[in-house]
Amino acid sequence: LPEKVRLPKAIAIDEFKADTDAGTYQLIIANADTHEPIDILPNRRKETIKHYLQENGADVEIVVMDMNPSFKAAVKKALNRPVIVADRFHYCRYIHWAVDEVRRKVQNEWNSYDRKKAKRMRYVLHKDEHKLTEKERWYLNRYINMSTELKEAHELKELYKKWQRESKKESVSEVKVKLYDFYRKVEETKNPAFLKAIKTFKNWQKEILNSYAFGYSNGFLEGIN
């Protein structure tokens, strides 16, 4: 790797486990347009990232990242008004984590068979409902009909998935309006797991909307790692 680099306009950053003398995790930096790796930092610490970007990032305008507060803070301190793009996979996880939190809670009240089976078949709660096979749909219906709270969580997840699908065809302003609609629906249900998820969404809302405005993703970098 070159000792001195000039980073391009759009970069993607992501951590990976390396277990070096400098830290357990290192940070890879890649060109967000060409998907070519550019450099590797010895650790993922905020000061390391900030110093590197100050030294090499004069041309950087867009940074794609997961939802790591330290990454965001480092980029904002190092660069002049950067556009930060949150990777879609990472913010979608908060919705799936909310569904899992509800499932774990309600299944504790079930008999041993259903508790274990629901854990093994949990993917049916995460999969888009219109993509379920007949057998998967049977399990979905069985478990959401055993718990009003789980059924509500599944409906909220489906509402989010609908927003996500429609957002690919709409303007950013329309995407934002429908995201607010999703917030209101969650707030009406008062579901603690989903309230926690949308709190994160609100903290990262600008960066989430940027993922639709600019179309960048960290998927290629996850693949490299």
Side-chain angles (χ1 to χ4, degrees):
L1 295 170
E3 291 185 7
K4 186 77 174 174
V5 299
R6 192 174 182 90
L7 297 173
K9 175 183 173 182
I11 62 171
I13 64 175
D14 190 34
E15 66 189 16
F16 65 96
K17 192 169 184 179
D19 200 16
T20 69
D21 292 339
T24 304
Y25 289 88
Q26 290 184 272
L27 192 88
I28 184 169
I29 299 176
N31 187 314
D33 288 307
T34 66
H35 297 179
E36 293 174 302
I38 298 170
D39 211 342
I40 293 174
L41 305 192
N43 58 62
R44 62 176 178 178
R45 290 194 283 272
K46 182 166 69 175
E47 288 304 313
T48 302
I49 299 169
K50 184 181 79 170
H51 177 73
Y52 181 86
L53 292 177
Q54 286 172 336
E55 290 286 313
N56 305 289
D59 298 332
V60 175
E61 297 176 15
I62 299 169
V63 183
V64 191
M65 64 173 70
D66 63 24
M67 295 164 74
N68 185 315
S70 293
F71 293 175
K72 186 164 136 177
V75 168
K76 281 189 170 184
K77 285 184 179 180
L79 305 178
N80 180 30
R81 298 175 65 84
V83 173
I84 299 174
V85 178
D87 179 63
R88 292 183 191 181
F89 168 76
H90 287 89
Y91 60 77
C92 287
R93 291 193 303 176
Y94 286 89
I95 300 300
H96 291 285
W97 286 341
V99 173
D100 263 344
E101 185 175 328
V102 174
R103 175 189 56 78
R104 286 194 298 269
K105 175 189 171 186
V106 302
Q107 74 182 25
N108 286 333
E109 302 168 4
W110 298 345
N111 62 58
S112 177
Y113 173 81
D114 278 319
R115 187 167 61 249
K116 292 174 183 176
K117 193 68 174 178
K119 184 179 179 180
R120 286 198 296 270
M121 299 298 293
R122 62 188 178 275
Y123 72 90
V124 302
L125 292 164
H126 298 291
K127 193 173 179 179
D128 289 6
E129 189 171 353
H130 69 277
K131 295 180 180 178
L132 292 173
T133 65
E134 188 175 341
K135 180 182 178 181
E136 290 168 342
R137 190 175 297 278
W138 186 91
Y139 278 105
L140 172 67
N141 289 332
R142 175 174 175 79
Y143 292 120
I144 64 175
N145 288 329
M146 288 175 66
S147 166
T148 303
E149 192 174 351
L150 187 59
K151 184 175 183 180
E152 179 183 81
H154 176 260
E155 288 171 351
L156 288 173
K157 185 268 302 183
E158 283 296 305
L159 189 63
Y160 169 79
K161 290 286 190 175
K162 182 183 178 185
W163 168 78
Q164 193 180 35
R165 286 193 301 271
E166 292 178 350
S167 295
K168 296 174 183 177
K169 312 170 197 172
E170 296 173 337
S171 67
V172 176
S173 58
E174 291 173 314
V175 171
K176 186 176 181 180
V177 167
K178 290 187 177 179
L179 182 58
Y180 283 143
D181 289 340
F182 175 66
Y183 291 163
R184 280 192 290 272
K185 184 64 177 176
V186 171
E187 287 159 357
E188 285 170 11
T189 66
K190 296 183 172 60
N191 184 295
F194 277 86
L195 286 172
K196 187 166 58 177
I198 66 167
K199 182 180 179 181
T200 302
F201 269 62
K202 289 176 180 179
N203 290 337
W204 285 82
Q205 182 171 292
K206 184 177 180 180
E207 292 78 18
I208 288 171
L209 293 175
N210 281 342
S211 71
Y212 291 98
F214 294 90
Y216 286 106
S217 161
N218 251 10
F220 78 93
L221 201 48
E222 298 280 353
I224 288 172
N225 286 345

